[in-house]
């Protein structure tokens, strides 16, 4: 039995409590956090809690907090307790960041977003577009391929940088030792001359 309903400013024949359409707002946050926990996030992982512009296909979204954030980095626990809009949207945008490529493909399969065995590429694109509203564009495919390529060469780049840093460090140490060995006698000669000038 419904005891009471509240809503509206005297719109005749319109019950705001039951008929008004509203955004999900903060009700959506626990859904994001639950999805994140299933996708290998931890409640203490740091989330970025800063103003940012998020891109989805050809549209952009700039979330606005309803209060001034106390920190630029927060945990998921903090984001939930303090209802942090910025951190939650950032997490939503980065939900699959903790997954390996194999785990990501498994999620795609479970969600029915993978290409089926009997589907042509054109049929696959049409199904994803018409069922889920996801537009597969040449630009986004190139961007995705570029991101994958970056991940593949990341370890190689790190090893090259570390090797060069090690070589630079060794060269610097050798040069410094030489300079120091040359300068030490000069310093002692200068100190003798300065003592002679005082005497």
């Amino acid at each position: 039995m419904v005891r009471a309903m509240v809503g509206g400013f005297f719109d005749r024949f319109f019950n705001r409590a039951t008929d008004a359409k509203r955004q999900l707002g903060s009700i959506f946050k626990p859904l994001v956090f639950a999805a994140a926990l299933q996708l290998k996030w931890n409640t203490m992982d740091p989330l970025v809690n800063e103003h940012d512009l998020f891109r989805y296909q050809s549209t952009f979204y700039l979330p606005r907090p309803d209060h001034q954030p106390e920190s630029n980095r927060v945990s998921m626990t903090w984001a939930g307790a303090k209802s942090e809009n910025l951190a939650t949207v950032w997490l939503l945008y980065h939900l699959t960041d903790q997954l390996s490529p194999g785990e990501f493909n498994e999620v795609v399969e479970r969600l029915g977003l993978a290409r089926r065995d009997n589907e042509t590429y054109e049929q696959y694109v049409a199904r994803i577009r018409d069922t889920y509203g996801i537009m597969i564009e040449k630009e986004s495919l190139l961007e995705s391929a570029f991101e994958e390529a970056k991940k593949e060469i990341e370890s190689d780049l790190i090893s090259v940088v570390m090797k060069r840093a090690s070589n630079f460090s060794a060269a610097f140490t050798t040069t410094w030792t030489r300079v120091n060995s040359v300068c030490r006698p000069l310093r002692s000669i200068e100190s003798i001359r300065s003592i002679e000038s005082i005497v």
Side-chain angles (χ1 to χ4, degrees), residues 114-134:
R115 186 173 165 187
R116 296 172 183 157
D117 293 335
N118 58 349
E119 268 184 327
T120 66
Y121 180 73
E122 290 74 22
Q123 290 172 330
Y124 170 63
V125 169
R127 178 172 63 85
I128 295 299
R129 180 197 63 220
D130 298 341
T131 307
Y132 302 103
I134 299 172

Side-chain angles (χ1 to χ4, degrees), residues 16-115:
R16 285 183 183 273
T18 59
D19 300 330
K21 296 190 186 304
R22 299 177 180 85
Q23 291 184 341
L24 285 174
S26 293
I27 296 171
F28 190 68
K29 289 173 184 169
L31 302 177
V32 175
F33 300 146
L37 293 173
Q38 291 180 331
L39 296 172
K40 296 179 69 176
W41 285 84
N42 186 291
T43 56
M44 297 310 292
D45 284 336
L47 311 179
V48 175
N49 196 33
E50 299 174 341
H51 289 277
D52 203 352
L53 188 65
F54 297 94
R55 179 183 171 197
Y56 178 71
Q57 296 179 9
S58 59
T59 62
F60 294 88
Y61 175 58
L62 181 66
R64 291 185 297 273
D66 58 359
H67 62 274
Q68 185 62 35
E70 295 180 34
S71 175
N72 292 339
R73 299 284 185 279
V74 297
S75 67
M76 194 189 308
T77 304
W78 177 276
K82 298 292 183 178
S83 194
E84 297 288 358
N85 293 351
L86 302 178
T88 305
V89 174
W90 182 89
L91 177 62
L92 178 63
Y93 200 74
H94 292 269
L95 267 180
T96 58
D97 285 8
Q98 308 281 28
L99 301 178
S100 68
E103 291 167 334
F104 180 81
N105 288 336
E106 187 180 330
V107 171
V108 170
E109 290 277 353
R110 284 187 184 182
L111 294 175
L113 295 174
R115 186 173 165 187

